[in-house]
């Protein structure tokens, strides 16, 4: 074999050696890149609060103080219930010669329930809920009929005092019933606190009105 043939064979062998070495080098580089990627992502899949999925639950959680269906119903029902209490109080306060204790009670009802209506309306706005229940709403316990309101309006001061106490006892009992339902089923902290206040205040007022009727 000539010297030229030997040189060509040697070059071919070297090229084959390089060809075999390149895939191995490529695999080694790929492995290093994969390890670097794992290190950048935290090095494990257990989740330490720094990976891209760690906030998914928090991002999809409802706000802690959002109104639930029970809270919305409580507000939608209590607003017209309170409004009628204000109407009843306004009717008797317009009477000349009204019993002073009945007048004081009516004024206290106005002072307490007017701000509560405003707060309930603000919550409904915050919850993006309508002020009135769809389909006309539900029947509310303790609400006076139009005839009962007319009788209160047309009565003289003495009769109106008695009617107001009798009607407002029943009206308060309905409000307490709705408030207890909110306490049992609601979730909104403020609405539950208001419901608890309604139960306490109006239960005390019921006892007070019963004592006035008996006296």
């Amino acid at each position: 074999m000539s010297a030229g043939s030997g040189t060509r064979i040697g070059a071919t062998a070297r090229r084959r050696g390089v060809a075999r070495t390149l895939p191995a080098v490529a695999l080694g580089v790929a492995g290093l890149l994969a390890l670097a990627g794992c290190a950048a992502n935290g090095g494990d899949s257990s989740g330490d609060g720094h990976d891209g999925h760690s906030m998914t639950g928090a991002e999809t959680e409802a706000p802690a103080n959002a109104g639930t269906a029970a809270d919305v119903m409580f507000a939608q029902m209590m607003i017209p219930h309170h409004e009628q209490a204000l109407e009843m109080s306004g009717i008797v306060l317009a009477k000349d010669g009204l019993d002073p204790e009945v007048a004081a009670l009516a004024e206290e009802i106005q002072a307490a329930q007017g701000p509560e209506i405003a707060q309930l309306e603000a919550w409904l706005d915050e919850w993006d809920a309508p002020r009135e229940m769809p389909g006309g709403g539900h029947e509310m316990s303790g609400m006076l009929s139009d005839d009962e309101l007319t009788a209160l309006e047309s009565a003289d001061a003495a009769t109106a005092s008695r009617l107001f106490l009798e009607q407002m006892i029943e009206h308060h009992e309905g409000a307490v019933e709705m408030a207890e339902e909110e306490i049992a089923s609601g979730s909104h902290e403020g609405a539950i606190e208001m419901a608890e206040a309604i139960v306490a205040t109006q239960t005390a007022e019921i006892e007070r009105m019963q004592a006035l009727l008996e006296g």
Side-chain angles (χ1 to χ4, degrees), residues 65-68 72 75-76 120-132 134 188:
N65 222 22
T68 62
V72 170
Q76 289 173 331
L120 291 164
E121 289 175 332
W123 281 331
L124 288 175
D125 287 342
E126 180 184 324
W127 304 333
D128 196 25
R131 191 181 189 276
E132 297 179 0
H188 187 270

Side-chain angles (χ1 to χ4, degrees), residues 81 88 105 109 141-144 161-177 202-214:
H81 204 274
M88 294 166 64
L105 178 63
I109 289 170
S141 180
M143 292 289 281
L144 271 63
S161 293
R162 178 182 55 79
L163 283 175
F164 176 78
L165 294 172
E166 292 172 346
Q167 293 169 344
M168 192 60 80
I169 287 172
E170 185 176 350
H171 199 270
H172 272 21
E173 287 172 344
V176 168
E177 181 181 321
Q202 297 200 18
T203 298
E205 287 176 348
I206 287 170
E207 294 173 358
R208 182 176 163 192
M209 289 187 286
Q210 288 171 334
L212 287 171
L213 281 173
E214 291 168 3

Side-chain angles (χ1 to χ4, degrees), residues 9-196:
I9 291 171
T12 301
R14 284 194 298 274
R15 285 197 299 270
R16 285 176 180 171
V18 170
R20 285 194 298 269
T21 303
L22 285 174
V25 171
L27 287 172
V29 171
L32 288 172
L33 290 174
L35 288 173
C38 288
N41 287 330
D44 61 61
S45 59
S46 61
D48 59 359
H50 299 292
D51 63 278
H53 301 286
S54 62
M55 294 301 294
T56 302
E59 289 170 354
T60 57
E61 265 184 23
N65 222 22
T68 62
D71 300 315
V72 170
M73 181 180 292
F74 169 70
Q76 289 173 331
M77 294 177 72
M78 194 59 77
I79 288 172
H81 204 274
H82 273 15
E83 286 177 335
Q84 189 176 74
L86 297 185
E87 182 181 6
M88 294 166 64
S89 298
I91 289 173
V92 295
L93 286 171
K95 305 286 183 184
D96 292 329
L98 186 68
D99 183 322
E101 291 186 85
V102 173
L105 178 63
E107 289 170 351
E108 290 171 21
I109 289 170
Q110 287 183 329
Q113 298 194 23
E116 286 178 348
I117 291 172
Q119 180 60 76
L120 291 164
E121 289 175 332
W123 281 331
L124 288 175
D125 287 342
E126 180 184 324
W127 304 333
D128 196 25
R131 191 181 189 276
E132 297 179 0
M133 298 185 70
H138 295 273
E139 183 177 350
M140 291 172 284
S141 180
M143 292 289 281
L144 271 63
S145 66
D146 291 340
D147 289 343
E148 288 172 321
L149 283 172
T150 299
L152 181 63
E153 194 165 10
S154 60
D156 58 37
T159 304
S161 293
R162 178 182 55 79
L163 283 175
F164 176 78
L165 294 172
E166 292 172 346
Q167 293 169 344
M168 192 60 80
I169 287 172
E170 185 176 350
H171 199 270
H172 272 21
E173 287 172 344
V176 168
E177 181 181 321
M178 289 191 292
E180 287 175 339
E181 181 63 30
E182 167 64 12
I183 293 167
S185 304
S187 299
H188 187 270
E189 182 179 343
I192 292 172
E193 287 177 357
M194 180 184 288
E196 290 170 342

